[in-house]
Amino acid sequence: MCRVVDLQQAVLAKNDACAHTLREDLAARGTALVNLLSSPGSGKTALLERELTLARDRGIPVAALTADLATENDAVRLARSGVPVKQVLTDGLCHLEAEMLGGHLHGWLPADTRLLFIENVGNLVCPASYDLGETLRVVLASVTEGEDKPLKYPTAFGLAHLVVVTKTDIAEAVSFDEKEFRANVEQINPGVEVVLTSARGGEGDGLLLDRALAARDGTPVHIPVMTRKSHHVHDAEDGQPCDDGHTHTADHSHGEHRHAGEHTHPHRTPGGRAHTTDPDTVASSRS
């Protein structure tokens, strides 16, 4: 068991080192990364399509990368916004990792991009432990998922800089108790902002975009309590190599927070190489 835990720590330590480099590289070019996490079917693709369209209409240079186990459906939907979009198919890997993400951004991300939205794999367990070099980590939950979602997935909600509730146009129909949901979020992540949205009804239009722009322009983000109490502390040695050609001291924080892992092994499939697809051609091009 100790060897398994050591392996987990080593994997996350290397990921954090790569995330540190990616964060610095993006900051140097004036780009903020927004990492969106949620369960499958939460409505994050619909919300993101709306926010990307608003950004385009406002003349804000944005881009989006979306990750799925299979299909290019989300990239095709997001591409309707008219902004640069890239699909990553993870071939069974249940989350994105910083090194993988950096490789997919190289040579693709437009130089003038102010905001890069990452639609992570639909999963509230594995992605929660992996820093992607984000400026803003956003966790979404739809009104159909239950008020106790934050209690069931404390790491995902506990490390969020912002919590977004989706599909509020049907909140009454599914008897969503907003007060109880907010209380549960506050229990896990005191002080984090909760915003209400509906891609179909229009509630909260532009709120995610506004919060992302503010973070990009230097407005301090919420620092979760869990970042100071994390039970998952990496004891990595300095000089962790990242395959981007840099060797540097591992920094296990994004916005000063550490990762509290809910699983004890890295989730990879045999040979689990990710590949990308271009929604303009919809044809897979494996890397």
Side-chain angles (χ1 to χ4, degrees):
M1 178 60 69
C2 291
R3 293 180 64 188
V4 173
V5 172
D6 288 345
L7 175 60
Q8 170 76 353
Q9 290 179 344
V11 168
L12 290 177
K14 180 179 181 182
N15 180 82
D16 285 350
C18 293
H20 176 74
T21 296
L22 183 57
R23 182 178 292 107
E24 289 190 331
D25 290 347
L26 289 172
R29 59 187 288 166
T31 302
L33 191 157
V34 182
N35 186 10
L36 304 179
L37 288 74
S38 78
S39 300
S42 68
K44 67 177 177 295
T45 304
L47 176 64
L48 183 54
E49 181 184 354
R50 178 62 181 154
E51 298 295 297
L52 294 175
T53 301
L54 288 173
R56 180 205 65 197
D57 292 345
R58 295 183 191 177
I60 302 167
V62 300
L65 181 146
T66 181
D68 276 305
L69 302 182
T71 82
E72 302 115 11
N73 295 348
D74 287 352
V76 171
R77 290 175 60 187
L78 294 179
R80 296 186 305 207
S81 67
V83 309
V85 172
K86 187 172 190 178
Q87 176 83 56
V88 173
L89 299 183
T90 65
D91 286 344
L93 189 64
C94 64
H95 58 273
L96 285 173
E97 296 178 6
E99 183 178 354
M100 176 197 308
L101 176 61
H104 290 305
L105 296 181
H106 182 70
W108 169 74
L109 187 65
D112 65 343
T113 303
R114 291 179 63 190
L115 294 176
L116 170 62
F117 289 91
I118 303 297
E119 184 179 12
N120 218 314
V121 179
N123 183 340
L124 281 176
V125 180
C126 311
S129 294
Y130 286 84
D131 182 4
L132 297 182
E134 62 258 32
T135 300
L136 190 68
R137 176 178 287 211
V138 182
V139 175
L140 300 89
S142 72
V143 298
T144 62
E145 295 178 67
E147 295 81 1
D148 61 348
K149 201 76 171 184
L151 305 181
K152 291 182 175 180
Y153 298 92
T155 300
F157 283 88
L159 291 177
H161 300 128
L162 176 69
V163 174
V164 174
V165 178
T166 61
K167 304 184 182 181
T168 57
D169 53 299
I170 59 172
E172 184 176 355
V174 299
S175 301
F176 176 70
D177 189 330
E178 180 188 339
K179 183 177 180 180
E180 182 180 349
F181 179 84
R182 287 181 178 273
N184 290 335
V185 171
E186 183 69 13
Q187 179 180 333
I188 298 298
N189 192 345
V192 70
E193 183 182 13
V194 177
V195 299
L196 306 181
T197 66
S198 169
R200 178 175 295 178
E203 182 176 7
D205 268 6
L207 285 179
L208 175 58
L209 179 60
D210 290 342
R211 300 301 187 272
L213 285 170
R216 184 263 181 192
D217 292 338
T219 299
V221 299
H222 167 73
I223 301 178
V225 172
M226 187 177 288
T227 68
R228 299 185 288 271
K229 296 182 177 180
S230 174
H231 60 271
H232 185 94
V233 179
H234 308 309
D235 295 319
E237 297 180 356
D238 288 352
Q240 280 281 345
C242 182
D243 289 346
D244 55 8
H246 296 80
T247 300
H248 46 80
T249 301
D251 178 350
H252 311 300
S253 66
H254 49 88
E256 304 215 6
H257 76 253
R258 295 175 183 266
H259 305 293
E262 288 179 348
H263 54 284
T264 57
H265 61 281
H267 296 266
R268 286 189 180 276
T269 54
R273 297 182 61 195
H275 67 276
T276 65
T277 60
D278 182 344
D280 293 332
T281 62
V282 195
S284 296
S285 60
R286 297 183 179 271
S287 60

